[in-house]
Each structure stands twice: as C-alpha cells, then as structure tokens.
Amino acid sequence: MSAAVPAGGFAAPKGIPEYVGPEFTTVRDTLIREADRAGYAHIELPVFEDTALYARGVGESTDVVSKEMYSFDDRGGRSVTLRPEGTAGVVRSVIEHGLDRGGLPVKLRYDGPFFRYERPQAGRFRQLQQVGIEAIGVDDPALDAEVLAVADAGFRALGLRGYRLELTSLGDATTRPQYRAELTRFLEKLDLDEATRERARINPLRVLDDKRPEVRAQLEGAPLMIDHLSEEAAAHHAAVKRHLDDLGVAYVENPWMVRGLDYYTKTTFEFVHDGLGSQSGIGGGGRYDGLMAELGGQALSGVGFGLGVDRTLLACRVEEAGHDGAGRVEVFGVPLGDAAKDRLVGIVGSLRRAGIRADLAYGNRGLKGAMKAADRSGARYALVLGDRDLEAGEIQLKDLADGSQQAIALDDAAAAVDRALHDG
C-alpha cells in the first residue's frame, strides 16, 4: 500500500512494505499451517544477533554479508546485525539451548521480518517477510523431500499453479574440494574484473551465480557440480528425487543453481514464479551439513527453507489466487439508538466468545451509514436492532449477500447467528 505524505508528515522508510487487511495474513498463515501439519514447532527468534554469527554462518564472501546487512554497534560497543535470514539464528538457538540433545530431528518453524540493504524495487524490499522451517540432526533424503513437499503444499493451498521447483545438489565434503579445484582452473582462464577474481578466490562457486551478461557468456562450458558428485552425494540426490515422485511434487533439474548463501550442501532448491519478472524467486533453501559444527555445535546436518511472503503475495495477485474473499468479520452489529447499542455490545461479546468474528457500528451512526460500514466489513450478516425490536424482544438478522431479512428472538441472537453461519 502507498499514499501521499502530508506536508510535515511522516512516511514509512524506503523499501519497507506495509499491509492492511487479510490478504497478507492469509498468505503467511497458509504457509505456516502446512509446516504445522508436518510437526514443525514454532520458534521465536531475536530480530538482531551478534554480527559474527552471520559472518561465520552465512559466509563473508556472500553479498548478504559483504553488502546487504544492517549492522551497527550498540551502546555497549558490540556489533549487532538485524537478521538477514533465519537458518543461522535457528542453529544458534538449537546449540545454545541443547535442543539437539533430545530426539532428532529437531523440527522448527519461524516467521517474521528480515532485513537486507538493497535497492528497493518490485519484489525486493529492505524489510522482507518470511516463513521458514528447519529440520536438524538427521541426514535423510526423505527429510529433504518432506521439506520440499511442505513448501509445495503451502503454495498449492493458496491456489498457486504458475511456479516451478528447481532442484540440484551442491555435493558433499568429498565432492567439493575436487570440484572447487577444477572450477578454479576454469575461472583462471577467464577475463574477469578484480572484484570477481577476489570472489572466485574466496568461493569460486559464487561466480556461477553472477548475473552479468559479459560474465555469463564466459561461463559457457564451465564444470558443474552435478557432474562431479561423489557416489554418496549422487545416491542422496537420486533418493530425494525418488521421494519427491512418491509425494507427487514436480521438479526440474537446474545444475547452474548456487543460491546466495555459503552453507548449502547436497540438496539445494528454489521455487520460481515467472510472473514476477526479474525477482522471480518465491522461496528456496537446502541442506547444510557443516553449519552446526561451524557455529560451535555437534557435527549434525540440517535442511530447511525460507519462503518469501511478500513475493508469494505478489504471485497470488498475478494469478488472482490466495485471498479467499473472506471478510474482516462474519457479523456486524447495527444499533439504532443508545438502548440498542447497550444490548448489542453484549451480543457482540457473546458472538466473539463463541468464536465468531464480530464488529459493531460505533459513533452513533444512522442506519444508512451503519449499513455502509457493515458492507465494507465484508460481513455475511448484519444484526439490526432498534427501539421497536427491543420492545418486541426481537432483532433483525439481515443477509448482506441477498438482502433477505428475518426477525429472531433477542435472547437467542448469538445461538441463532451461529446456526445461520454454519447451516448456510
């Protein structure tokens, strides 16, 4: 949403989207619901962490760490960073609280805002909303497939169809050193600028992710990790694909995929929606075999994803999916006079206690204004109460879809509304 800023007023910081109404929460809560169904427990992460957590966990050569983090010194002189992603924080929490000392895998899900300093554009924000899951402690291809299936189920539950799952493997500890040496030899022959050569020195795989046409042209014929997998890594990748077939999750192989974070190994993936233009990724993730040990914990593997709620919402708008049309409330009270308001306040409270979303016309509006407010609320029914109704012990239940109206007993109003909502 956006609006003109009044003279002398304030506006949200640049690149920070704001959402009002059910559209955003429908997308977020649908993605969360699919994680809950697979047994992922909620974890509430800090909004900022020690800067070193991301430098070590995400990788100093990544654009996230080198260019995009919001880092600052607090009043105690400690360098802290607004969280740019969720996996490192989850792993830190698992280690700190000994969650890996119990039953494995540890299955956690999170949601909320994340922060990256980027040039704002459609689908790329400085405050982005994510839903993520992490399954830590078991290296099982079936668990990789489960993580992918949870994401796929979330998108499908929103009604999305115009996306694809791109999948590859980034190898293991046996694969990577040999492949890195071969890729380095290939890159040394290319005409690269100094910054790119430095990136190649630190992590040559990151060069494969370069989007500049002049670099992409030189990368034709580059060795690819998928062609250099160890026997174990290849078997793992084949098993993941077999399980995805069993789960009915479609995918395409993308051997050029690198992802923007250094900790990924083996299964690596991205969900892509071409209706979003250049910012087409709506979620991604993969397995990270060495991250726990890198951050001081046991040498346990993990796998997870981060799904972009903002971009998923944009994809829903492109496909006209996601929002089910449900109103802000189900029932809207329209009191005509002070005595009617006194009675309707109690009825609305009873409806809410019964689990029914209900609101009331406040501010002593007339019938016309109150009914406009009822229509704007998206309610299915209006409860209209005036002096004559009070005398008769009745209240009018008005169907806002077809305009029909019936009188119901005032003392039975809450129960009658509940029946109307469930029977209709």
Side-chain angles (χ1 to χ4, degrees):
M1 58 176 291
S2 62
V5 180
F10 296 95
K14 186 176 182 180
I16 311 296
E18 296 180 293
Y19 303 101
V20 177
E23 187 183 33
F24 171 83
T25 53
T26 294
V27 172
R28 181 197 62 197
D29 295 349
T30 299
L31 298 176
I32 289 172
R33 184 171 62 246
E34 296 303 324
D36 289 344
R37 285 176 174 168
Y40 289 79
H42 176 70
I43 181 171
E44 191 68 29
L45 296 170
V47 175
F48 61 87
E49 299 261 14
D50 188 320
T51 298
L53 172 69
Y54 300 116
R56 288 177 57 186
V58 176
E60 293 195 53
S61 69
T62 64
D63 287 346
V64 171
V65 172
S66 64
K67 301 178 182 179
E68 298 171 1
M69 294 202 310
Y70 279 97
S71 300
F72 55 93
D73 290 342
D74 66 10
R75 294 189 177 185
R78 295 171 291 264
S79 179
V80 295
T81 295
L82 295 177
R83 58 188 188 190
E85 58 92 54
T87 301
V90 170
V91 172
R92 187 269 311 149
S93 184
V94 167
I95 297 170
E96 181 178 352
H97 300 292
L99 300 181
D100 54 326
R101 305 296 176 180
L104 299 176
V106 181
K107 297 172 70 173
L108 301 170
R109 61 97 172 155
Y110 58 87
D111 67 278
F114 294 81
F115 306 87
R116 297 187 183 183
Y117 189 83
E118 300 186 282
R119 183 172 63 84
Q121 54 185 289
R124 186 181 288 275
F125 305 119
R126 291 176 175 174
Q127 177 177 298
L128 52 143
Q129 300 284 337
Q130 284 192 354
V131 169
I133 68 173
E134 310 293 344
I136 296 171
V138 177
D139 186 358
D140 186 337
L143 193 56
D144 298 37
E146 175 188 275
V147 167
L148 287 157
V150 168
D152 184 70
F155 294 138
R156 289 193 170 276
L158 288 165
L160 289 176
R161 296 295 180 268
Y163 66 91
R164 66 181 178 277
L165 166 59
E166 297 187 352
L167 181 69
T168 194
S169 173
L170 290 183
D172 56 15
T174 302
T175 307
R176 292 172 78 97
Q178 299 171 3
Y179 171 70
R180 178 184 176 123
E182 183 171 343
L183 179 60
T184 298
R185 287 193 293 272
F186 175 86
L187 295 176
E188 286 174 348
K189 301 174 184 177
L190 304 186
D191 181 19
L192 303 175
D193 59 82
E194 286 304 316
T196 305
R197 288 208 173 278
E198 177 63 15
R199 179 181 294 181
R201 185 188 67 79
I202 298 172
N203 184 354
L205 271 75
R206 297 285 295 121
V207 180
L208 298 181
D209 197 36
D210 200 307
K211 300 298 191 294
R212 291 173 295 175
E214 63 273 21
V215 177
R216 300 299 304 173
Q218 296 186 70
L219 290 174
E220 186 175 350
L224 299 175
M225 177 72 81
I226 199 71
D227 299 322
H228 294 75
L229 297 180
S230 67
E231 185 175 339
E232 181 183 351
H236 185 282
H237 189 53
V240 171
K241 293 187 288 185
R242 186 172 65 251
H243 291 309
L244 289 175
D245 292 338
D246 293 338
L247 291 165
V249 177
Y251 60 88
V252 295
E253 294 260 19
N254 179 1
W256 286 89
M257 188 188 309
V258 175
R259 302 285 295 157
L261 309 175
D262 280 354
Y263 49 62
Y264 288 123
T265 57
K266 294 180 181 171
T267 303
T268 308
F269 60 89
E270 184 171 21
F271 288 89
V272 177
H273 196 292
D274 289 329
L276 301 185
S278 61
Q279 306 304 321
S280 59
I282 57 177
R287 180 164 285 281
Y288 40 92
D289 286 348
L291 184 58
M292 278 278 288
E294 177 66 28
L295 296 181
Q298 299 187 74
L300 295 177
S301 184
V303 61
F305 65 57
L307 306 182
V309 180
D310 307 279
R311 291 193 190 173
T312 302
L313 189 152
L314 292 175
C316 287
R317 289 175 179 171
V318 168
E319 294 193 36
E320 298 183 350
H323 184 37
D324 59 11
R328 179 172 58 83
V329 294
E330 297 165 282
V331 182
F332 196 90
V334 178
L336 305 177
D338 291 338
K341 181 187 287 185
D342 291 344
R343 191 63 184 270
L344 264 177
V345 165
I347 292 172
V348 166
S350 297
L351 291 170
R352 291 170 180 168
R353 286 191 293 275
I356 297 170
R357 293 177 291 120
D359 200 357
L360 185 67
Y362 294 102
N364 300 319
R365 304 181 190 184
L367 177 61
K368 185 176 180 180
M371 291 306 298
K372 284 184 178 180
D375 289 334
R376 285 195 297 270
S377 75
R380 180 174 173 185
Y381 292 105
L383 282 172
V384 184
L385 184 62
D387 291 338
R388 291 183 181 179
D389 299 306
L390 283 170
E391 292 175 3
E394 297 177 340
I395 189 169
Q396 303 300 316
L397 179 64
K398 185 178 181 65
D399 188 320
L400 293 173
D402 62 19
S404 62
Q405 184 170 301
Q406 61 174 310
I408 58 177
L410 193 53
D411 292 337
D412 189 45
V417 169
D418 186 58
R419 289 193 296 271
L421 286 169
H422 290 94
D423 293 346

